[in-house]
Amino acid sequence: MSLSDCKHGSNPQTDHTYSLHSLPLSKDYGKRPMRTLFDIRRLSLTNLRSISKVKVVSFLMGLTLMFLIMASHVLTWDRKGLLLTPSPFQPIRHVVVPTGKAAAKVLSENNLIDVKLLVKIIGSRLEYTPRKVPDEKDVVGTASHMFSVIPRHFLPGVKSPCWYEEFSGELSADPYRRNHYALRTKSFRTVCDHLRTSFRQHLHHSGGALFRLRCLPFFYIVGQPKCGTTDLFYRLLLHPEVKFNTIKEPHWWTRKRFGYIRFKDGFQETFPVEDYLDLFDLAAHNIQKGISGNSSGDHRALITGEASASTMWDNQVWSYLHRDMEETETPFLAQDFIHKVQPGAKIIIMLRDPGERLYSDYLYFKMANKSTEDFHQKVVESVQLFQSCLSERSLRSCAYNTSLSNAMPVRLHLGMYVVFLLDWLTVFQSEQILVLRLEDYAANFKVTIKKVFDFLRLSPLSEQVEAALYKRPKSNTRRTADRNLGHMLPATSDLLRGFHQPFNHKLASVLDNKAFHWSNAPEEA
């Protein structure tokens, strides 16, 4: 099946709630013998009078403790399974992972996961009806301010999505003084120092009013993490027709416009759409030169973009905004809003072997005691948690589920590429989405980068710029200490390959490209 074969549809899902399971039974309630109720009845009033007050109090306290323990186990008994069945969202009992030469064999024999059964279940769930795209009025109503700022149509004759916005502020005031990106990001604060010095001269005079040129990104590199997006971002910067903002990952569409920077820190402050548009003022100033005829080159052809690798998959914010939401699947996705404001946007997706992506993701985050054995244990726990979720919810619901994402010790769900891609195809045409493999990018960089240039309709490079682009060192490579850990254990690789197999096969079918089966060993990054 090709990309163009994907069509719109509805996908009603049934909601389920997770039941909490009890803690394991204690093996020993105490070493002192305890009287039973039968023994108590046999005690005569005379005997009770002969017992000291201290013994009576001790006896009653012990009896009370026994009833409390029994009551706690009865009340927390899981109606759906055995008392010792682990909850999908409780940490699974830690297993000691062996080390040494026999580790791979032992781990393979003791992961306690029926991979074949799980693969069969996932494969059957992948043939689902596409999601129902929300109505336009609902999308607009959810972000009314954003849609009041961004117009429905952009300037003709300009490649980037740009428009003129009336400037009503004081000319002597700093237009960036309240920008949250400038307040929090040193690199953009430095750019703002440069922008404000030439801000007035870039204002357009018309009908006695002042206007500033505003632009949205022409393209979005939306995913995935640890798939080479950083390297692609900085190489594209070398093309003279590409004018990026200085912040590679604004994370505006998925988090900051809602007031979240890191979900663990809770709500902080909302980044309005004006702050996001400020990120592209450097490109807007250059484009303005072309419109006003103050440049020797064709600045109307300049484009800008951003590369937040969370945009493809991260829609967790809705569970934080609507904690009482009954739906099991996210009502809105980031692409619904991007498509509404910019239906002609270009989307670039970089992918790699999902097992290798997960291992690179694990190594990327700084933590103590990283090891191949620890990674294996975290993979096993994550697969078990996903399997538990899949027993009660739909595949899409588990892919987007915030509780599951927070419970898994590694980001296993990010490798379910086809689930996210199919959702992007519900709003964007296949011709607007370029899907690349990191393995191809690493093996034949010139061919892959040319695909990107052609996709963005960029002019050919001069020999000098082309040489600089090809010679640029790789970005965001693996740290030496992480590299010294070597490859993941064979047992881990086998488990991940089996788990991702149905997702990869579906992806290869959608893209009509067998390379997305990832049969060969991928390039390290």
Side-chain angles (χ1 to χ4, degrees):
M1 181 174 63
S2 64
L3 281 176
S4 58
D5 293 329
C6 300
K7 301 183 187 242
H8 300 274
S10 60
N11 184 27
Q13 299 292 343
T14 304
D15 183 28
H16 299 274
T17 55
Y18 288 93
S19 59
L20 296 177
H21 299 254
S22 64
L23 296 172
L25 285 168
S26 173
K27 295 181 180 179
D28 189 3
Y29 298 131
K31 294 187 177 180
R32 291 189 305 169
M34 190 172 291
R35 299 178 187 271
T36 64
L37 293 177
F38 180 74
D39 293 331
I40 296 172
R41 291 175 182 172
R42 296 182 59 184
L43 289 175
S44 64
L45 181 62
T46 305
N47 291 336
L48 287 174
R49 288 174 179 172
S50 65
I51 300 174
S52 67
K53 291 183 179 181
V54 175
K55 291 183 178 180
V56 171
V57 172
S58 299
F59 167 72
L60 292 176
M61 288 180 64
L63 186 63
T64 301
L65 179 61
M66 181 187 72
F67 279 125
L68 287 175
I69 294 173
M70 291 176 65
S72 68
H73 285 295
V74 172
L75 290 175
T76 58
W77 189 278
D78 179 16
R79 297 177 182 178
K80 294 185 179 181
L82 297 175
L83 190 63
L84 299 180
T85 302
S87 166
F89 293 100
Q90 289 177 341
I92 296 176
R93 180 168 51 89
H94 184 72
V95 179
V96 177
V97 180
T99 59
K101 296 182 179 180
K105 181 179 178 181
V106 174
L107 289 171
S108 179
E109 295 173 352
N110 292 281
N111 58 41
L112 303 177
I113 298 173
D114 189 338
V115 179
K116 290 184 179 180
L117 177 61
L118 181 56
V119 168
K120 185 177 181 180
I121 295 172
I122 293 173
S124 65
R125 300 289 186 88
L126 277 169
E127 300 301 327
Y128 58 79
T129 304
R131 65 183 284 259
K132 183 181 184 300
V133 178
D135 294 335
E136 180 178 321
K137 61 180 180 61
D138 295 328
V139 175
V140 174
T142 304
S144 56
H145 175 68
M146 177 178 68
F147 290 103
S148 69
V149 172
I150 301 175
R152 299 296 297 269
H153 303 285
F154 304 121
L155 289 174
V158 177
K159 188 174 179 180
S160 292
C162 300
W163 68 97
Y164 279 111
E165 174 188 277
E166 185 172 357
F167 180 73
S168 57
E170 295 290 335
L171 288 175
S172 59
D174 178 8
Y176 304 104
R177 69 184 183 279
R178 295 181 180 176
N179 186 290
H180 291 81
Y181 285 104
L183 295 173
R184 290 179 170 270
T185 310
K186 184 178 179 181
S187 59
F188 186 61
R189 187 160 57 247
T190 303
V191 172
C192 288
D193 292 339
H194 167 73
L195 289 172
R196 67 172 58 93
T197 59
S198 59
F199 183 80
R200 296 184 197 176
Q201 70 187 59
H202 287 101
L203 292 176
H204 176 66
H205 297 261
S206 179
L210 295 175
F211 296 85
R212 65 187 294 190
L213 189 67
R214 287 293 209 178
C215 296
L216 279 167
F218 178 76
F219 66 94
Y220 299 82
I221 302 175
V222 300
Q224 285 284 62
K226 304 308 298 174
C227 290
T229 58
T230 299
D231 192 77
L232 177 62
F233 173 86
Y234 286 114
R235 290 188 195 275
L236 281 176
L237 266 178
L238 296 177
H239 197 291
E241 294 177 6
V242 179
K243 299 296 179 184
F244 271 109
N245 59 298
T246 54
I247 300 176
K248 172 184 175 280
E249 298 185 275
H251 296 296
W252 188 78
W253 292 99
T254 56
R255 296 188 177 192
K256 292 182 181 177
R257 70 186 180 100
F258 301 102
Y260 291 86
I261 298 174
R262 288 179 295 271
F263 288 123
K264 65 179 183 179
D265 298 331
F267 179 86
Q268 294 191 344
E269 53 191 355
T270 302
F271 286 50
V273 64
E274 291 86 352
D275 288 7
Y276 181 65
L277 296 175
D278 285 347
L279 297 178
F280 310 101
D281 272 5
L282 189 60
H285 287 185
N286 281 278
I287 294 171
Q288 174 63 31
K289 292 179 182 178
I291 296 175
S292 60
N294 295 331
S295 65
S296 57
D298 185 12
H299 282 53
R300 289 171 176 261
L302 296 179
I303 62 172
T304 187
E306 63 126 297
S308 299
S310 64
T311 310
M312 182 176 179
W313 60 271
D314 188 358
N315 290 277
Q316 298 182 68
V317 68
W318 298 103
S319 64
Y320 289 89
L321 294 176
H322 307 284
R323 296 182 185 275
D324 57 344
M325 185 173 61
E326 295 183 356
E327 291 89 347
T328 60
E329 298 186 6
T330 307
F332 300 97
L333 300 178
Q335 55 264 39
D336 296 331
F337 298 91
I338 296 175
H339 182 266
K340 183 66 185 69
V341 300
Q342 192 181 352
K346 296 281 190 175
I347 308 299
I348 299 175
I349 299 172
M350 284 274 280
L351 305 176
R352 72 188 290 188
D353 181 292
E356 293 296 323
R357 191 220 67 80
L358 186 63
Y359 187 49
S360 185
D361 200 42
Y362 165 80
L363 295 176
Y364 175 76
F365 293 101
K366 294 181 179 180
M367 65 183 80
N369 302 320
K370 278 190 287 190
S371 68
T372 54
E373 293 82 11
D374 178 67
F375 176 64
H376 180 88
Q377 180 62 43
K378 285 178 167 57
V379 168
V380 170
E381 292 182 10
S382 298
V383 172
Q384 289 175 328
L385 286 168
F386 182 80
Q387 187 172 16
S388 296
C389 178
L390 203 59
S391 67
E392 298 193 13
R393 294 177 180 254
S394 71
L395 181 63
R396 287 187 71 257
S397 175
C398 292
Y400 288 108
N401 190 279
T402 300
S403 298
L404 176 62
S405 174
N406 292 338
M408 289 194 296
V410 288
R411 299 193 293 181
L412 180 74
H413 58 298
L414 268 61
M416 304 171 195
Y417 305 141
V418 71
V419 176
F420 307 118
L421 176 61
L422 288 174
D423 281 349
W424 278 83
L425 286 168
T426 61
V427 289
F428 285 100
Q429 299 297 317
S430 60
E431 295 77 15
Q432 295 176 256
I433 302 177
L434 176 65
V435 183
L436 304 170
R437 293 195 328 144
L438 174 62
E439 293 81 7
D440 300 330
Y441 183 78
N444 199 333
F445 170 74
K446 291 185 179 181
V447 171
T448 307
I449 202 70
K450 187 179 184 304
K451 284 184 180 179
V452 178
F453 289 165
D454 292 343
F455 177 70
L456 299 176
R457 304 194 307 273
L458 297 174
S459 302
L461 293 174
S462 66
E463 292 183 4
Q464 184 178 3
V465 175
E466 188 176 43
L469 188 145
Y470 294 153
K471 290 180 180 178
R472 190 185 188 282
K474 289 183 179 180
S475 299
N476 205 20
T477 55
R478 190 170 293 177
R479 293 180 290 260
T480 302
D482 295 333
R483 193 181 296 274
N484 290 339
L485 289 178
H487 198 264
M488 70 181 86
L489 295 172
T492 320
S493 180
D494 292 343
L495 174 58
L496 288 173
R497 190 166 297 279
F499 175 82
H500 288 117
Q501 176 189 333
F503 296 105
N504 294 345
H505 285 193
K506 180 71 172 181
L507 179 65
S509 175
V510 171
L511 296 174
D512 194 21
N513 187 342
K514 293 182 179 180
F516 287 93
H517 286 299
W518 278 289
S519 306
N520 301 322
E523 181 81 10
E524 181 185 276

